[in-house]
Amino acid sequence: SLGRLDGTLLEGQVLDGTGHPVKGADVMATVAGRIVAVSQTDLQGRYALYLQPGKDCLLSVAGKGYYRYADTVVSSRHSQDSLFAEVHHDVRLTPLPVGQTLTFDNLFGPDADIELTDRGRNLLMFVVQPLRQDGALKARLVLTSRVGGDKTFNTMLNERRLSALREYFEFNVSAGTRISFVNGNSEGVLLTGEKAGDQLKVFFLE
């Protein structure tokens, strides 16, 4: 008799949002913060990890161009009639917004306020998160403001608001030159609609 192995085979397939396999993704299992197993997906997006039984592990998957995936998986003990336990766990990765454009309206307070509102800070996390996930992802931020009809005033106000944006991203993302800031008023970008306010367009680039 071969006996039984006191362990768990954790295996599965890593897919994108359309169901296609993601090859070359890094797969890692940790227990209490310690790495216990690593693997990489094959051409079919499949992975396999051998784990100690009876412990919860954190399964994390990182694929280029995708948000990092993390989930807790229970490493089961084998049954009496098997050499080892088998646990199947497929993973769906969400693509990063490369090539996409996000638009945010009224991130700043009313009138000529140069401080980001709490709402604005929360919305900007949709920009922060992908930049944190992918160290190669770039973003071009174009801010436009309009308070009254004086173009010179609007351009100067917008520049001060851009400074607030720079401070926000410097604090939340170590992105360096990956983020560029553009004064839309200086570039002739028109604010959508007739009301006063501000608008930020974020272009994600490779």
Side-chain angles (χ1 to χ4, degrees):
S1 172
L2 293 175
R4 296 182 178 85
L5 301 176
D6 192 20
T8 297
L9 177 66
L10 174 62
E11 55 83 27
Q13 190 176 24
V14 179
L15 307 169
D16 64 16
T18 62
H20 291 92
V22 178
K23 65 179 181 179
D26 294 318
V27 184
M28 179 173 63
T30 58
V31 175
R34 183 172 63 90
I35 299 174
V36 296
V38 294
S39 181
Q40 194 173 68
T41 57
D42 61 16
L43 293 175
Q44 299 302 316
R46 300 190 181 280
Y47 72 91
L49 301 171
Y50 186 74
L51 307 172
Q52 293 181 339
K55 294 183 178 180
D56 292 350
C57 75
L58 180 67
L59 177 69
S60 62
V61 181
K64 182 175 175 55
Y66 298 91
Y67 284 98
R68 181 180 295 273
Y69 172 93
D71 193 16
T72 300
V73 179
V74 178
S75 179
S76 305
R77 292 189 177 276
H78 61 76
S79 62
Q80 293 297 318
D81 57 351
S82 63
L83 289 174
F84 52 84
E86 293 185 56
V87 176
H88 186 84
H89 189 89
D90 289 338
V91 172
R92 290 268 183 168
L93 295 183
T94 302
L96 290 166
V98 178
Q100 296 184 22
T101 302
L102 300 181
T103 301
F104 303 98
D105 292 320
N106 300 322
L107 299 176
F108 294 85
D111 301 322
D113 200 330
I114 61 171
E115 297 294 330
L116 287 163
T117 63
D118 290 340
R119 170 184 172 276
R121 293 176 180 276
N122 291 334
L123 286 174
L124 287 175
M125 289 306 296
F126 288 102
V127 184
V128 168
Q129 291 172 355
L131 289 169
R132 285 177 176 174
Q133 289 279 336
D134 189 339
L137 186 65
K138 299 178 181 179
R140 183 172 185 264
L141 280 60
V142 181
L143 179 67
T144 307
S145 296
R146 182 173 63 217
V147 179
D150 189 290
K151 292 183 179 180
T152 301
F153 176 81
N154 287 332
T155 300
M156 293 177 62
L157 170 65
N158 202 53
E159 192 59 46
R160 297 186 68 184
R161 287 176 168 177
L162 273 179
S163 296
L165 278 180
R166 289 190 186 95
E167 291 181 5
Y168 173 88
F169 282 97
E170 286 174 1
F171 180 81
N172 287 283
V173 188
S174 299
T177 58
R178 291 193 292 124
I179 305 178
S180 61
F181 299 88
V182 178
N183 188 327
N185 290 73
S186 298
E187 299 293 321
V189 178
L190 298 178
L191 190 66
T192 303
E194 297 297 327
K195 294 183 179 180
D198 60 87
Q199 187 174 77
L200 177 69
K201 287 187 177 294
V202 180
F203 303 88
F204 288 104
L205 311 168
E206 290 186 282

